[in-house]
Amino acid sequence: MFRFAPSPTGHLHLGHALSASCVWRAAEAAGGRVLLRIEDIDPVRSRPEFAEAIEEDLAWLGFRWEGAPRRQSEHLDDYLRALEQLDRRGLVYRCRLTRSDIAAAVARAEAARGVRWPRDPDGSPRLPVGDATAADAEAPFALRLDMRKALAELAGERLSWPEEGVGPNGERGTVVARPELWGDVVLARKDTPTSYHLAVTVDDALQGVTHVVRGQDLFEATSVHRLLQRLLGLPTPVYRHHPLLIAPDGHKLAKTRGSPSLRSLRAAGWTPHDVLNAAAAGCSEPFRAQEQST
Ligand code: GLU
C-alpha cells in the first residue's frame, strides 16, 4: 500500500507533481494501491479550499486513489493514544519555551561560547538551550520526546530501514537510522495535539502503508520516524526517497518561494502531459544535485 500525503497549506506545484508521479509510478510497478492523506494538522496554514484543490489537481493529472482521503485533523485521538503510550514510559515532557525564548537563548549561548549551537537536521536548535528560562507555568506547552531516554530504551539496538531510493548523500539499501542526530523533537505542538513526526508515523501504520515514497528533504526525518515506530511497536515500511526539483535560483521548489502552482500552469495552457513530462525526469534522476540543508 502506497500513499501520497500533501499538506493543504497552498496549491500543488511541480515539485508535488514529481512526488505524485513517483508515488503512482512505484505503486503501478509493484501492483500496489495508493491512498491519499491530507496532512492538515497546522491549524493556521491548512485550509479546506487547498485540500479540495489538491484532489482536483491530482484528478486532473489522472491520478486515482483508493477510498476517501484521510484528513489528519479528524483523527487527533489516534495521535493522542500514541502520545499517552510514550508519556506513560516517561519519554515525553512539556516544553513551554516560545520560539523567541529559544532563539534568544541560542544567540546568548553562541555569543558566550563562540561556537554554533547544534541544530537538528531540519535546522531547529537543539534543546535544552542552556539558560533558556521557561515562561510562566500557565503558558501553553508543546510535548517533546526526551531523546536521551528514548535512545536509552533501545539499549544499543541499531535501527535501520530498507531504502529503495537514495538519500542526499547516496545512502541506499539498508540505511542505519541516526535518531541521535536529532534533539528533543516536538510530538505535540502548542496549537494542535500532534506534530508531523508523530502523525505521519501513526498514520502510515494505521493505514497499512507498506511503501513510503517521498522527497529527499524528508530523508533525515525518517530516522525519527523509525525510532517512533520502534517505541510504539509499529511496523517499518519500505522507503523510497526521490531527489527534489531544484528551482532556477538553486533552492528546492516550494510554495513559499512562489513557484508556479499546477493550476496556474493549467491556466497558461499546460496539459497534464506537459506537467508530468516536466516532473517525470526527477523520478529516476535528480535534475541537479540537491543542496545540503544546514
Ligand atoms: N506532508 C508532507 C509534505 O507535504 C509529506 C509527508 C510525507 O510524505 O511523509 O511535505
Side-chain angles (χ1 to χ4, degrees):
M1 185 62 80
F2 291 70
R3 60 22 166 222
F4 182 57
S7 306
T9 53
H11 288 302
L12 299 186
H13 54 68
L14 269 183
H16 293 107
L18 163 64
S19 230
S21 307
C22 295
V23 170
W24 266 274
R25 273 201 200 178
E28 205 180 324
R33 293 166 294 155
V34 182
L35 300 170
L36 177 61
R37 184 161 75 227
I38 301 293
E39 302 211 326
D40 60 350
I41 55 165
D42 186 324
V44 178
R45 294 168 63 226
S46 298
R47 302 228 297 262
E49 58 271 29
F50 288 137
E52 259 174 51
I54 286 172
E55 292 195 44
E56 261 173 47
D57 289 348
L58 290 174
W60 175 69
L61 288 174
F63 296 127
R64 302 282 176 263
W65 54 92
E66 200 170 280
R70 175 177 170 97
R71 291 173 202 283
Q72 290 187 321
S73 60
E74 294 171 359
H75 297 277
L76 298 178
D77 282 355
D78 290 331
Y79 315 129
L80 209 58
R81 271 192 289 276
L83 264 178
E84 281 165 3
Q85 265 197 59
L86 300 174
D87 193 27
R88 275 197 296 274
R89 279 144 59 193
L91 297 176
V92 171
Y93 69 90
R94 293 177 179 192
C95 175
R96 292 193 161 81
L97 297 175
T98 62
R99 265 175 213 264
S100 48
D101 289 335
I102 297 172
V106 166
R108 279 196 301 273
E110 290 186 337
R113 295 168 197 209
V115 290
R116 191 175 144 80
W117 190 264
R119 305 291 201 275
D120 282 347
D122 66 0
S124 10
R126 278 299 174 89
L127 287 190
V129 271
D131 57 345
T133 39
D136 67 89
E138 298 304 307
F141 54 85
L143 294 176
R144 288 182 181 263
L145 179 69
D146 186 324
M147 186 56 85
R148 201 181 41 86
K149 284 194 191 162
L151 293 176
E153 274 212 11
L154 298 184
E157 178 187 339
R158 278 275 200 89
L159 301 178
S160 62
W161 74 81
E163 175 65 53
E164 286 186 347
V166 60
N169 295 311
E171 300 90 337
R172 49 177 85 238
T174 301
V175 174
V176 175
R178 294 187 302 166
E180 66 281 0
L181 293 183
W182 293 79
D184 296 346
V185 292
V186 173
L187 297 181
R189 298 159 38 140
K190 285 178 184 166
D191 56 0
T192 196
T194 185
S195 67
Y196 161 64
H197 294 306
L198 182 68
V200 80
T201 304
V202 167
D203 280 352
D204 283 336
L206 283 182
Q207 294 191 284
V209 170
T210 52
H211 290 73
V212 172
V213 180
R214 62 185 179 193
Q216 263 177 5
D217 52 336
L218 293 169
F219 183 83
E220 299 294 355
T222 307
S223 286
V224 175
H225 306 166
R226 183 65 192 89
L227 173 65
L228 290 174
Q229 287 156 7
R230 166 68 174 69
L231 295 173
L232 293 164
L234 303 174
T236 302
V238 171
Y239 288 86
R240 179 188 292 242
H241 291 94
H242 63 76
L244 304 178
L245 284 181
I246 304 298
D249 68 357
H251 288 100
K252 75 172 190 179
L253 276 190
K255 40 201 165 215
T256 45
R257 291 183 198 275
S259 40
S261 65
L262 298 186
R263 34 197 57 209
S264 64
L265 295 175
R266 180 180 176 180
W270 286 46
T271 64
H273 185 76
D274 296 334
V275 169
L276 294 175
N277 259 354
C283 281
S284 47
E285 284 193 286
F287 281 159
R288 277 183 41 192
Q290 187 197 339
E291 285 193 337
Q292 281 305 293
S293 53
T294 47

